[in-house]
Amino acid sequence: MKTFLHALTAIAMFGATSFAAETRFESGPQQTSLVELYTSEGCSSCPPAEAWLSRQKENPGLWRKFVPVAFHVDYWNRLGWPDRFSSKEWTLRQSRYASLWGSGSVYTPAVAVSGREQRGWSTSNLAQPNDKRVGLLSARTSDGRNFTIEFKPEEADADNWEAHLALLGSEISTQVRGGENSGRHLKHDFVVPALQNAELKSEGGTARAQLTLPPPAESAPRQAVGVWVTRRGQLAPAQATGGWLP
């Protein structure tokens, strides 16, 4: 219950959007990478990584070659500045990655690209071509809250898949008044306030799911969604899509 209430509190910062027609996001058959940044407003090493992620808004490969998401972890809150976007859930997600990577600890900033640790993130070419064929992933919505997710795997194996839907908030700013970044004005993009998950149901070679985001109450300058699929019970994403909401 505490985690759910925390998600609702965070998502309240992202405003409602009016939709006149259906909005659709779709990947190609080649793998679109999910780029995950693990960060914190309480970490003095994180602003350069967040600036790097923000610059990806101008990358021509955005949404077509890669989908960026920023998970704010909570383990630096003890330093004197509670990051309002942080969640124990995101810390646990990063800890799962650390275990898969054979690491004994978590750290920030940390970047995962399609589930793989990316130490050299500052020089990564996120728009580089990817010849790995996975299948088509699409998401459509007419109201910005209710989404129909469809995945057509390349190998016609539509069983045992899970869908994940994240609301992303961009062009957000924070005046930090404590901790390692005290006095700094921080800017954030692609922040995840909540993540919804569901098993995909196989229907004639296509895996489908319905996912609904909690209702937002306050506006943010810019919103987007990130969508990805994983094998059931696995963490590494197989395919991703997403885009800006109108």
Side-chain angles (χ1 to χ4, degrees):
M1 177 61 73
K2 184 177 180 180
T3 299
F4 178 71
L5 291 175
H6 183 281
L8 288 181
T9 300
I11 204 171
M13 301 193 61
F14 299 86
T17 304
S18 297
F19 290 77
E22 181 179 89
T23 301
R24 184 181 180 91
F25 309 108
E26 188 172 62
S27 73
Q30 286 79 23
Q31 186 181 49
T32 299
S33 299
L34 183 72
V35 179
E36 304 174 55
L37 170 64
Y38 291 86
T39 183
S40 170
E41 290 185 341
C43 162
S44 61
S45 300
C46 287
E50 297 227 26
W52 166 79
L53 196 70
S54 293
R55 289 194 295 272
Q56 305 312 315
K57 290 187 293 185
E58 309 306 321
N59 191 319
L62 177 63
W63 310 125
R64 296 185 303 106
K65 299 295 184 181
F66 65 92
V67 174
V69 297
F71 291 107
H72 286 231
V73 297
D74 70 346
Y75 49 82
W76 295 126
N77 289 357
R78 58 183 171 78
L79 296 181
W81 181 253
D83 186 335
R84 69 189 189 278
F85 302 115
S86 66
S87 171
K88 183 66 174 179
E89 184 178 352
W90 311 151
T91 298
L92 292 174
R93 180 181 178 87
Q94 187 188 15
S95 296
R96 287 183 64 193
Y97 269 131
S99 178
L100 291 173
W101 297 336
S103 174
S105 61
V106 292
Y107 63 93
T108 55
V111 173
V113 178
S114 295
R116 298 182 297 274
E117 186 178 22
Q118 192 78 22
R119 290 277 184 172
W121 49 265
S122 61
T123 58
S124 296
N125 179 12
L126 299 178
Q128 63 186 348
N130 188 338
D131 294 330
K132 183 178 180 181
R133 295 178 68 89
V134 180
L136 295 171
L137 174 64
S138 67
R140 64 181 190 273
T141 180
S142 58
D143 61 5
R145 287 187 54 219
N146 298 285
F147 288 79
T148 299
I149 314 297
E150 294 185 350
F151 180 51
K152 297 180 180 180
E154 183 74 14
E155 299 180 355
D157 176 15
D159 295 319
N160 300 316
W161 291 94
E162 294 179 342
H164 311 273
L165 170 68
L167 178 67
L168 310 177
S170 284
E171 300 178 10
I172 299 165
S173 62
T174 299
Q175 187 66 44
V176 181
R177 296 186 299 276
E180 291 187 350
N181 287 316
S182 182
R184 300 186 68 169
H185 185 77
L186 303 181
K187 296 183 179 180
H188 306 304
D189 288 293
F190 308 112
V191 178
V192 180
L195 176 65
Q196 301 295 310
N197 312 296
E199 289 188 2
L200 288 158
K201 305 298 183 181
S202 177
E203 299 177 17
T206 299
R208 294 185 173 87
Q210 302 286 332
L211 282 169
T212 299
L213 291 169
E218 297 181 20
S219 63
R222 204 171 188 187
Q223 299 175 76
V225 292
V227 184
W228 62 95
V229 292
T230 62
R231 283 286 185 181
R232 189 171 300 166
Q234 295 186 9
L235 186 61
Q239 184 61 295
T241 188
W244 300 111
L245 293 174

